[in-house]
Amino acid sequence: MATTYAWLWTLFTFVLTWMVFHLIKTKKAAIEEAEAEVEERRDGATDVIIVGAGIAGASLAYALAKDGRRVHVIERDLKEPQRFMGELMQAGGRLMLAQLGLEDCLEEIDAQEAKSLAIYKDGEHATLPFPNDKTFPLEPVGRLLRNGRFVQRLRQKAASLTNVQLEEGTVKSLIEEKGVVKGVTYKNSAGEETTVYAPLTVVCDGCYSNLRRSLVDNTEEVLSYMVGYVTKNSRLEDPKSLHLIFSKPLVCVIYQITSDEVRCVAEVPADSIPSISNGEMSAYLKKTMAPQIPERGNLRDIFLKGIEEGLPEIKTTATKSMSSKLCDKRGVIVLGDAFNMRHPIIASGMMVALSDICILRNLLRPLPNLGNTKKVSDLVKSFYIIRKPMSATVNTLASIFSQVLVATTDEAREGMRQGCYNYLSRGDFKTTGLMTILGGMNPHPLTLVIHLVAITLTSMGHLLYPFPSPRRFWHSLRILAWALQMLGAHLVDEGFKEMLIPANAAVYRRTYIATGPQPLFDR
């Protein structure tokens, strides 16, 4: 009997102790919640500070302002950007612009329609149209454009709202208190150093972000360099295609960016960039790359014309890759190229950034007070998962394509390169399915994995044909091993669950694609 009483008292003591600890924990959480809500919205106070007014910053400023937020945007240079990356808005990106109420920013900049991808290899060519998809609410057509003009239109649209303050200035540092970002210190156009405070700061200052290092433990990898120039007073015979040439050692891309201007881009290895100033780059483009450009459709003529006439316009930019990582500090969010970068071979960076903004706007919209940093932090964690169908699909496709299209003397890798061309040029339902992914009309990681497996099998079949000799069989196994290595790296980086479970992609498609553009309402 004494033993029974002892057990009962022990159980009672345990339950009582657990209840006390639970009540203390609940009370502590309630106090933290109350403290977070103390920062009431004051008249005239800024709700959100946005660092950077590029594609991501300007679009986010407009979207949040339409939701009633007071937004202060600080941009280092408000002059029209002179960059040549981000010149194709995929059909999926157009839909995201429409969701944000910004699709009219593609007008009045002489943007050109992009209806197909034309590929060229060793004298062969194929044109792959973006297919009609009954579940995609817009016409499957992208836009080729001057990036700087597009950015200026977005800035003008954002600045037209009375609750957006767009200012030129250089942000020096973030203001932090107890691990919470409270605002920024910046130098304005007059050279005066000043501070501004807001419950939420969004850092989207691009691929050369200085603030990223203080927020996330992440470093970018330089993969190669893109060399680009404009051929003026010219028009391609097929101006509605993005022309991708499987050249050696790396690819060339040619496309119409305005009604009378053609962009020519050649990728060069990161460790061997010819000098522009002493004419080495011009000679390299003429002697090494130009002979590989097809004469078909006046492509080579335009490529050479631009070299001869556009030497001052030749520019280089690094292609970078950086996986996305969450910032563990409260009161701040990182977006755009400061958050996530991938190889530009599939021209989908703007689409991913706009998708992120649509998601973030929808998550923040119900919050009356952005000063509740705990709630905002929890929403950002949700944002990181919700974005995966689009971001993981684009990141994986860009990375694998950029590696596969590198010309080499390795028989297995060259077999994969040829297999990729063969798969794309078939023109059957497989090609159609991959083009819907490329155009952002069906961002589905698992479907992409299936296509990549099919490309691998096609490449192995190419090597084994017409007779599977021991050497060919060995190289086909090497192709399989390489493909698994590339795919495995992205499964680890993006997450097995996010890549292989289709439920997330189905929810994303139903919420952000199948429903069509949703109007923005002022609060």
Side-chain angles (χ1 to χ4, degrees):
M1 183 66 71
T3 305
T4 303
Y5 279 119
W7 278 107
L8 287 172
W9 276 108
T10 302
L11 179 62
F12 175 74
T13 303
F14 174 79
V15 172
L16 184 63
T17 304
W18 180 85
M19 289 178 65
V20 170
F21 275 108
H22 179 70
L23 287 170
I24 292 172
K25 186 178 178 181
T26 304
K27 187 175 181 180
K28 183 179 179 182
I31 292 171
E32 289 179 352
E33 189 84 5
E35 288 177 350
E37 294 286 0
V38 165
E39 242 183 285
E40 293 294 333
R41 178 175 164 142
R42 293 169 295 170
D43 290 339
T46 300
D47 294 311
V48 184
I49 298 167
I50 298 178
V51 182
I55 302 295
S59 301
L60 180 64
Y62 180 82
L64 294 181
K66 291 295 286 184
D67 282 346
R69 312 289 185 188
R70 291 172 298 238
V71 184
H72 188 169
V73 187
I74 306 170
E75 164 59 36
R76 183 180 58 83
D77 187 355
L78 287 174
K79 294 192 295 292
E80 182 176 317
Q82 299 298 317
R83 59 177 304 208
F84 68 89
M85 303 297 277
E87 293 184 324
L88 170 58
M89 180 63 70
Q90 299 281 13
R94 279 183 54 226
L95 177 59
M96 299 305 156
L97 277 176
Q99 298 272 21
L100 295 167
L102 290 168
E103 194 180 9
D104 60 333
C105 292
L106 292 172
E107 300 170 2
E108 300 177 12
I109 58 172
D110 200 14
Q112 305 295 296
E113 290 187 341
K115 293 188 172 183
S116 56
L117 171 68
I119 56 175
Y120 306 82
K121 185 179 185 297
D122 300 331
E124 299 181 353
H125 80 279
T127 300
L128 323 173
F130 290 108
N132 286 306
D133 187 336
K134 293 180 180 178
T135 61
F136 187 73
L138 298 183
E139 187 183 6
V141 179
R143 292 291 186 274
L144 296 161
L145 48 84
R146 279 272 194 178
N147 178 273
R149 295 180 186 177
F150 179 50
V151 169
Q152 291 300 87
R153 287 279 286 141
L154 290 172
R155 290 173 178 174
Q156 291 164 10
K157 188 85 181 270
S160 68
L161 300 178
T162 57
N163 50 336
V164 173
Q165 179 186 353
L166 179 58
E167 181 181 7
E168 187 168 277
T170 303
V171 175
K172 297 296 184 180
S173 62
L174 299 170
I175 301 170
E176 291 186 46
E177 294 178 13
K178 299 178 181 179
V180 178
V181 174
K182 298 289 187 177
V184 300
T185 299
Y186 70 102
K187 186 174 287 188
N188 61 25
S189 56
E192 301 165 340
E193 191 164 293
T194 185
T195 57
V196 60
Y197 294 88
L200 180 62
T201 299
V202 183
V203 174
C204 40
D205 53 346
C207 60
Y208 298 105
S209 173
N210 292 320
L211 301 178
R212 179 178 63 234
R213 298 179 185 87
S214 64
L215 296 171
V216 290
D217 182 19
N218 208 359
T219 47
E220 70 272 18
E221 177 188 2
V222 176
L223 306 172
S224 60
Y225 282 82
M226 290 291 188
V227 181
Y229 57 91
V230 172
T231 303
K232 297 183 178 180
N233 302 314
S234 300
R235 190 158 181 85
L236 295 167
E237 288 185 12
D238 180 10
K240 296 185 178 181
S241 288
L242 182 78
H243 301 268
L244 175 65
I245 297 99
F246 285 45
S247 49
K248 300 177 182 179
L250 300 172
V251 299
C252 288
V253 188
I254 301 174
Y255 50 94
Q256 194 85 38
I257 54 171
T258 68
S259 56
D260 61 354
E261 293 178 310
V262 176
R263 173 71 72 188
C264 301
V265 180
E267 186 178 6
V268 298
D271 57 355
S272 56
I273 311 169
S275 170
I276 295 177
S277 59
N278 65 10
E280 287 180 4
M281 180 66 77
S282 182
Y284 172 80
L285 294 172
K286 278 184 182 180
K287 296 177 181 178
T288 303
M289 303 311 296
Q292 300 183 65
I293 305 299
E295 294 183 348
R296 180 186 182 88
N298 69 345
L299 291 173
R300 187 183 296 180
D301 291 341
I302 287 179
F303 190 86
L304 286 168
K305 180 186 176 186
I307 299 170
E308 294 165 357
E309 298 179 355
L311 185 60
E313 286 255 0
I314 294 179
K315 294 180 173 64
T316 63
T317 187
T319 67
K320 297 182 178 183
S321 175
M322 186 180 71
S323 58
S324 57
K325 287 189 178 180
L326 273 176
C327 173
D328 57 4
K329 293 182 179 179
R330 294 185 178 183
V332 65
I333 301 171
V334 186
L335 280 182
D337 283 348
F339 174 55
N340 187 199
M341 290 182 279
R342 79 287 304 156
H343 194 286
I345 186 67
I346 62 170
S348 297
M350 292 192 294
M351 180 171 67
V352 173
L354 293 168
S355 169
D356 285 351
I357 290 164
C358 285
I359 296 167
L360 188 62
R361 178 205 66 185
N362 285 354
L363 290 173
L364 293 178
R365 180 181 281 170
L367 285 184
N369 178 22
L370 297 179
N372 190 331
T373 57
K374 183 180 183 302
K375 280 187 179 179
V376 173
S377 181
D378 290 341
L379 289 176
V380 171
K381 291 175 183 176
S382 301
F383 158 77
Y384 187 73
I385 301 301
I386 297 170
R387 73 185 294 269
K388 283 293 183 178
M390 176 65 83
S391 64
T393 300
V394 170
N395 291 343
T396 304
L397 183 59
S399 175
I400 292 180
F401 266 28
S402 68
Q403 295 177 69
V404 168
L405 298 187
V406 175
T408 174
T409 56
D410 185 298
E411 192 171 338
R413 295 200 173 198
E414 191 57 31
M416 187 75 157
R417 186 167 173 260
Q418 182 63 50
C420 182
Y421 177 86
N422 292 346
Y423 189 88
L424 288 171
S425 61
R426 279 179 174 177
D428 57 11
F429 71 95
K430 296 176 183 176
T431 305
T432 299
L434 192 55
M435 289 301 291
T436 59
I437 293 176
L438 180 62
M441 296 176 280
N442 181 29
H444 201 295
L446 180 58
T447 302
L448 175 62
V449 170
I450 294 170
H451 279 289
L452 295 176
V453 170
I455 290 174
T456 302
L457 296 177
T458 300
S459 304
M460 293 171 69
H462 170 74
L463 273 187
L464 292 172
Y465 181 83
F467 179 75
S469 66
R471 178 181 175 180
R472 289 176 174 175
F473 185 72
W474 166 244
H475 285 310
S476 69
L477 289 179
R478 288 182 59 222
I479 284 179
L480 179 61
W482 185 37
L484 290 175
Q485 179 185 356
M486 291 189 291
L487 187 55
H490 280 278
L491 287 173
V492 172
D493 190 43
E494 302 289 352
F496 284 85
K497 179 181 177 182
E498 288 75 15
M499 289 286 288
L500 300 179
I501 297 180
N504 292 336
V507 172
Y508 177 91
R509 184 177 179 82
R510 188 167 58 248
T511 306
Y512 295 100
I513 293 181
T515 55
Q518 301 295 312
L520 289 173
F521 296 102
D522 296 328
R523 280 187 174 180

